[in-house]
Amino acid sequence: MEELCGVGAAAPLRGDAEEPKQGSVLFLGGNEVKSSAVVKYSSAPPQAAFARLQEKTDLKLPPANWLRESAKLGPAGTTILGNNKKSKPFSSFGMAYDFIDSVGNDVDVVSDSENIKKLLKIPYSKSHVSMAVHRIGRTLLLDELDIQELFMRSSQTGDWTWLKEFYQRLIDQKWQRKKKSKEHWYQKAILSKFLYYSINGDGAAQPVPSTSKQHQEGPVSGESDEAGRSSWPAPFEMPSSLSEDPGASNQGSVPLEPSYIVGHVASAPKEQNLTTLFNDGENSQGLKNDFVRNILWTFEDIHMLVGSNMPIFGGGRYPAVSLRLRDNNKPINVLTGIDYWLDNLICNVPELVMCFHVNGIVQKYEMIKTEDIPNLENSNFSTKVIKDIAQNILSFLKSNCTKEGHTYWLFKASGSDIVKLYDLTTLCEETEDKYQNPFTMPVAILLYKVACNMMLKKNQNKKHYGTIRTLLLNCLKLLDNGRHPQIIASANYMLSELFQLDEPKKEDSTDFPINGNSDESYSEEEEEMPDSDENGSYSNSSDPPDDNKAVAIIKSVGELSVPEKYKSVHRIRPSCAFPVCHGTEERCRLVLNYVLEGLKSVDSSVKKEGDLPAADPSTPIPLKYEDESTSGGPECLEKQMALFLDKMGSFQKGKHCSQSGMIPGSWQYKMKLQLILKSSKAYYVLSDAAMILQKYGRALRYIKLALQCHDTYCCLCASMLPEVLVFLCQCLTLCGDIQLMLAQNANNRAAYLEEYNYQTKEDQEILHSLHRESRCQVFAWATDLSTDLECQLSVSCKCYEAAYEILLFSNLKNQNPEQHIQVLKRMGNIRNEIGVFYMNQAAAVQTERLVSKNVSTTEQQLWKKSFSCFEEGIQNFESIDDATNAALLLCNTGRLMRICAQAHCATEGDFKREFSPEEALYYNKAVDYYLKALRSLGKRDVHPAVWDSVNWELSTTYFTMATLQQDYAPLSRKAQEQIEKEVSEAMKKSLKYCDVDTVSARQPLCQYRAATIHHRLASMYHSCLRNQVGDEHLRKQHRVLADLHYSKAVRLFQLLKDAPCEFLRVQLERVAFAEFQMASQNSSAGKLKTLFGALDIMVKAKGAFQLIRKELVAESEQKSKDKSSAENVSPNDSPTGLNKEEVLKLLSIFESRMSFLLLQSIKLLTSTKKKIGGINEEEVVLKTNKQVYSLLLRATANKSTTLLERIEVILNLLEQLAQNNEASNGGIQ
């Protein structure tokens, strides 16, 4: 079996983890058994070569080195040579504390190798078995429970009296421990002397030369320590001074410091030399790891952490052998063979060296390979059966030892075939206090330590959170608040830490499976149900009445040899899995519940104020934080924080002390700070969730509680961690958001007030705990529910400013750039809101005052406030390069300037009004701000919507300026030509920023605006042409411009389907323009051409009349529907929004101009016909015009016709004219 040689290696030195080795597969007697072992810790030096003793050596004589320490053996010499004391009742706990990573997760069993061997020999042995079994996660801890020793102790201490009575009453009244015979002590003595001879301590014995030095010098080449650690990471670094000392545990002798719970649980420490929770008195009970080796042994599919003290030597062909001394007259029996075989498997020793003696005189040596041990004469056994026994016992225990924290007792009486399992915790609670069970505290502490270790792993998968929670809840069940407040407070804090407050809501149900996996999903609450009899029965229904206290019974030890007789029943129950929180509020409420329990535990442990010395306010609190602000040191930051708190509210300098009498630096002090901070975070998340649901009253109540927690934290703690300051910023920022939302939703104030005043009992109790320490109200101003809009906006702004100030003085803005940007954005936004508020107030005051009055001081003050807010907001946005928001605020400033301009309109009535210089000044300022906004954006791609909005506002400003100058021309100050020029320039600029081509919701508005501008320009040039005398070149220019702008106005109005009146008006003005031109013409041909042009313009107005007819028909149909449904509608109501009065007015003008043009055309055509003679085309035109004219006269003469009928007539006449024009196009040029 050469492969076994390659994996058996020297144990690592001084507690270093040995590199993991591949599992060795042993083929023994045709049965395949898989076994591998990895030494996790060893206090032994490299194996010393054993000395082969000469024949006839008398082992009854002691060697010179007997019971003395040796350099070869290291400090653990006597233990290595097998003189260790008997296994202690808590030995598995010592191992569990040292290898906390393995407990509850990877390992099935933790125990002394002697206990493992005893269990696997149950079917072969008649001796009694008494073991305590504890379950932690999927791991079972097995310890010997020496009944006689416990009974002796109970007679002295009073412990275990309940067990003594129970044992004597129900189990075995006759059994007594047999006293050790002289032969037993004789055999132990010669074994000890033999081992000391074998280490070459005496010159009489010659060592066998070793050929395996390379195996003694260190680990197997090619495998590194790092690999070992990554495979089986040791949870704690062990100082060499501790690991080399066999008399002390590597963790067990230092009492718990208060910093452990807060410092190491709340925030993962860089160093992991964690101290245990035991004092020396508890260590004396055996709560430490006394084994020379701790080995991770995998036997088939069972993973075991085993403690072993078997002496291992180097020598021969193998790097490791075990030495055994046998009496040549006594053959090896099955029990001894199993012992030897299991010892070698557990320690991964490939060979056994047997020294035979007769009456202490050495006879011979024999070397036996480990795989040959099961086949020795008189000691033949099946390894397959041993494997079945191991699997059956593990399944039996796992199926029945289901309650974490309970102490189970596995008992088999001497000579009996029945194995019974009792739940001692339940029996103890039935009779006496649970603390009468000495296992209660070690189990509770182990549950706590396993949970704590899992919490320290930053990469811990959330699916294990259910396991951690179960561990902690079971730990809390075992502890008494009066005796263990520190652990209870810490456990509750860890429970609160399990719930991730800042995770997205969708993760609530995805990351935590409703049911856990396999062994992790046992319940700590559910009662055990009897299992079916298919695979071996655990039921006690057929047992004698005396056995009704047993949890389960193996009726015959022979059953253990049957393959898969007992199958592990893993009850998968939701109660063990991590609770699925159906919402943020539920999750936060669970956190607050645990925080409250923790606070209660801390508060109950603090003595009354009178029992403690008064704290000196001038003495600084010695809090040691690793992450301190880099600039100016912690002292500078502390001063800055004190100044800030003083500025914020009623904070008394130097009062960093607790009213309840907590001593700074004590565990209560540190734990309470952590719990207060956790509750603050929970309230913050609740507030944020309420904010999303638009429950702003509730949100303000929660953020008030969060800030009250912070008030207490500030009063207790002078120097704060940067993370705490960042969180305070977040709280103040959220508070600002809530106040802003309350200001914007003033309509629901009554509902918000009701939400705000509601309070749960839990919240009241947490507040009570806070008020035990301090009643300072630093941030009270931020959380009042005001009814005044201006006050709410002001408080919101102050919250953001306070958050920004914290980031500045603590130099956190560089470390938290995102937070810094968010705060500045909100500051810019709230200043915009306040600016708009003051601007709207100014506009309201302006509306209310009489036209004759001048601008009031109130208005001017409001303008200044508004302008100041906008300016500060622009600076905020520009400081973070937020061009879009800066542009919006510049746009609002432009709007403010326009309001100022409107306020400065002339005080006289409209008939005397002129466009004032003040109006011009403010409109030009508005233009400047809009242009700045465009420059801020740079190009449309940055933010198209904002770009378009600014362009529209700029266009509107230019249009308003031009319109006011045109309508209220300042003729007293400027010449008509200058005004026309300024109007023309302003209109053109308005057109420049009026985008008629881009398809958007605003496109029809832009088209209407452009059409109106062209119409106004055309009207202005038309007016200039009428009133101008002289300069023919200028008149011609005006004529061309008027014609151009009329054409553009018509083209744009034709695109719009909702402006028929405007289109009609433009066409009528064009007709008037044509008439004005005709008046100055002398030739008949010229006049006729102009007349036909004007008639053509009228024909083109047909589209406007069609739109009007469509709207009138729709209105008529609507009225008839309303009448049929018996609804009365006022006759003046127009569902289409058509202005009938304007339509009538325009229709009358249209009829009048049409009549005039037709009459003039008839006259001119008649006179032309007489002079020149008949031309067929002209005759047709004349005939049609006469006919149309006649019809028009009849229609206008009939006063009873409706508007719709008149429009129908006009449309009919225009249709005839249109056909006539088509026919005569070639005849009249």
Side-chain angles (χ1 to χ4, degrees), residues 1059-1221:
C1061 293
E1062 286 83 349
F1063 178 46
L1064 201 53
R1065 189 180 291 110
V1066 174
Q1067 292 293 62
L1068 286 170
E1069 283 191 26
R1070 289 181 75 193
V1071 169
F1073 184 60
E1075 288 177 10
F1076 174 70
Q1077 283 180 296
M1078 191 175 68
S1080 60
Q1081 290 174 324
N1082 296 321
S1083 68
S1084 296
K1087 284 186 178 182
L1088 203 55
K1089 184 179 179 182
T1090 307
L1091 269 172
F1092 278 120
L1095 281 170
D1096 189 48
I1097 289 169
M1098 293 198 117
V1099 169
K1100 285 177 180 174
K1102 186 172 70 172
F1105 284 113
Q1106 285 173 337
L1107 284 172
I1108 292 168
R1109 180 180 65 179
K1110 185 180 177 183
E1111 291 190 19
L1112 288 171
V1113 168
E1115 182 185 344
S1116 176
E1117 287 174 356
Q1118 183 65 39
K1119 280 184 180 179
S1120 62
K1121 280 182 186 178
D1122 292 344
K1123 281 179 183 177
S1124 64
S1125 59
E1127 290 183 6
N1128 296 319
V1129 181
S1130 172
N1132 293 324
D1133 290 342
S1134 175
T1136 57
L1138 193 68
N1139 188 338
K1140 287 186 181 178
E1141 286 183 12
E1142 190 176 5
V1143 171
L1144 280 167
K1145 184 180 174 183
L1146 290 170
L1147 182 61
S1148 298
I1149 296 170
F1150 191 88
E1151 288 170 342
S1152 167
R1153 297 337 294 159
M1154 189 175 175
S1155 176
F1156 172 76
L1157 289 173
L1158 286 168
L1159 180 60
Q1160 291 300 314
S1161 69
I1162 291 166
K1163 285 179 180 178
L1164 279 169
L1165 283 169
T1166 306
S1167 64
T1168 307
K1169 183 182 173 185
K1170 286 176 182 177
K1171 288 178 185 177
I1172 301 173
I1175 301 173
N1176 291 333
E1177 290 85 354
E1178 286 190 358
E1179 283 180 4
V1180 173
V1181 172
L1182 178 62
K1183 185 180 177 183
T1184 305
N1185 284 4
K1186 281 182 178 180
Q1187 188 180 349
V1188 171
Y1189 182 64
S1190 173
L1191 289 169
L1192 181 61
L1193 286 176
R1194 287 196 193 103
T1196 51
N1198 187 358
K1199 302 297 180 184
S1200 62
T1201 52
T1202 62
L1203 178 60
L1204 184 59
E1205 288 169 343
R1206 285 173 70 183
I1207 286 171
E1208 292 282 6
V1209 169
I1210 291 293
L1211 281 169
N1212 184 33
L1213 295 175
L1214 290 175
E1215 185 64 35
Q1216 288 183 42
L1217 282 174
Q1219 291 171 0
N1220 186 39
N1221 286 352

Side-chain angles (χ1 to χ4, degrees), residues 175-200:
W175 179 78
Q176 296 290 330
R177 176 187 286 174
K178 293 178 182 177
K179 290 184 178 180
K180 304 289 186 187
S181 63
K182 286 183 179 180
E183 176 66 18
H184 170 81
W185 296 114
Y186 165 73
Q187 292 295 341
K188 286 206 75 169
I190 66 165
L191 172 62
S192 175
K193 291 169 188 173
F194 163 68
L195 291 171
Y196 270 95
Y197 271 120
S198 298
I199 61 168
N200 198 17

Side-chain angles (χ1 to χ4, degrees), residues 642-887:
L643 287 170
F644 169 75
L645 294 172
D646 189 45
K647 180 181 173 183
M648 285 296 110
S650 57
F651 181 73
Q652 297 175 338
K653 292 179 186 177
K655 292 288 182 184
H656 295 293
C657 61
S658 163
Q659 291 180 1
S660 70
M662 273 196 315
I663 300 168
S666 65
W667 74 263
Q668 290 100 330
Y669 178 85
K670 293 179 179 180
M671 177 51 69
K672 192 151 191 177
L673 281 178
Q674 292 290 336
L675 289 166
I676 287 170
L677 198 56
K678 188 69 181 181
S679 61
S680 186
K681 287 178 180 176
Y683 283 128
Y684 169 84
V685 175
L686 280 170
S687 180
D688 192 44
M691 178 85 168
I692 292 166
L693 295 172
Q694 299 181 352
K695 302 284 186 183
Y696 302 125
R698 189 195 302 174
L700 187 63
R701 167 164 58 88
Y702 284 135
I703 204 67
K704 180 178 183 178
L705 287 162
L707 286 169
Q708 280 179 317
C709 293
H710 252 294
D711 283 344
T712 306
Y713 191 96
C714 292
C715 291
L716 287 176
C717 181
S719 58
M720 283 197 235
L721 284 166
E723 303 89 77
V724 179
L725 289 172
V726 170
F727 177 61
L728 179 55
C729 279
Q730 291 170 345
C731 286
L732 288 166
T733 304
L734 180 59
C735 188
D737 293 348
I738 295 163
Q739 291 284 11
L740 176 58
M741 288 295 104
L742 286 166
Q744 291 178 346
N745 295 272
N747 296 337
N748 297 329
R749 192 167 280 143
Y752 297 147
L753 188 63
E754 187 178 342
E755 290 172 4
Y756 178 71
N757 291 327
Y758 175 79
Q759 204 168 53
T760 66
K761 185 184 177 186
E762 195 175 57
D763 296 337
Q764 289 170 349
E765 288 181 341
I766 289 173
L767 272 178
H768 174 70
S769 181
L770 296 177
H771 290 154
R772 277 173 56 92
E773 311 308 330
S774 166
R775 288 184 175 271
C776 63
Q777 303 259 317
V778 181
F779 300 107
W781 54 267
T783 53
D784 287 335
L785 182 56
S786 173
T787 54
D788 179 52
L789 182 60
E790 184 179 356
C791 178
Q792 286 175 324
L793 291 172
S794 173
V795 167
S796 178
C797 186
K798 193 177 174 185
C799 286
Y800 297 139
E801 287 169 352
Y804 182 65
E805 194 172 338
I806 291 170
L807 289 174
L808 279 184
F809 77 69
S810 59
N811 199 30
L812 289 169
K813 67 175 185 177
N814 297 328
Q815 298 165 31
N816 299 272
E818 186 61 33
Q819 178 83 4
H820 178 239
I821 289 167
Q822 286 301 320
V823 170
L824 277 170
K825 268 192 177 180
R826 282 169 164 78
M827 282 170 69
N829 181 56
I830 191 63
R831 283 166 174 164
N832 178 52
E833 291 287 337
I834 297 171
V836 169
F837 171 76
Y838 287 134
M839 181 168 68
N840 290 340
Q841 275 200 326
V845 171
Q846 179 186 316
T847 308
E848 288 169 8
R849 73 177 162 87
L850 297 172
V851 179
S852 58
K853 290 187 178 178
N854 292 323
V855 177
S856 66
T857 312
T858 307
E859 276 181 272
Q860 290 178 335
Q861 290 298 323
L862 289 169
W863 293 342
K864 284 178 183 176
K865 286 180 181 179
S866 179
F867 180 75
S868 173
C869 289
F870 287 141
E871 207 167 37
E872 287 174 352
I874 290 163
Q875 287 171 4
N876 292 145
F877 287 125
E878 285 178 346
S879 69
I880 53 171
D881 299 324
D882 189 342
T884 306
N885 280 317

Side-chain angles (χ1 to χ4, degrees), residues 942-974:
V942 173
H943 201 296
V946 176
W947 176 271
D948 292 345
S949 179
V950 176
N951 269 297
W952 173 253
E953 293 296 333
L954 184 54
S955 171
T956 304
T957 307
Y958 278 125
F959 178 72
T960 307
M961 282 173 71
T963 306
L964 289 170
Q965 277 187 294
Q966 194 175 12
D967 294 348
Y968 305 104
L971 293 168
S972 61
R973 301 192 317 275
K974 295 180 182 178

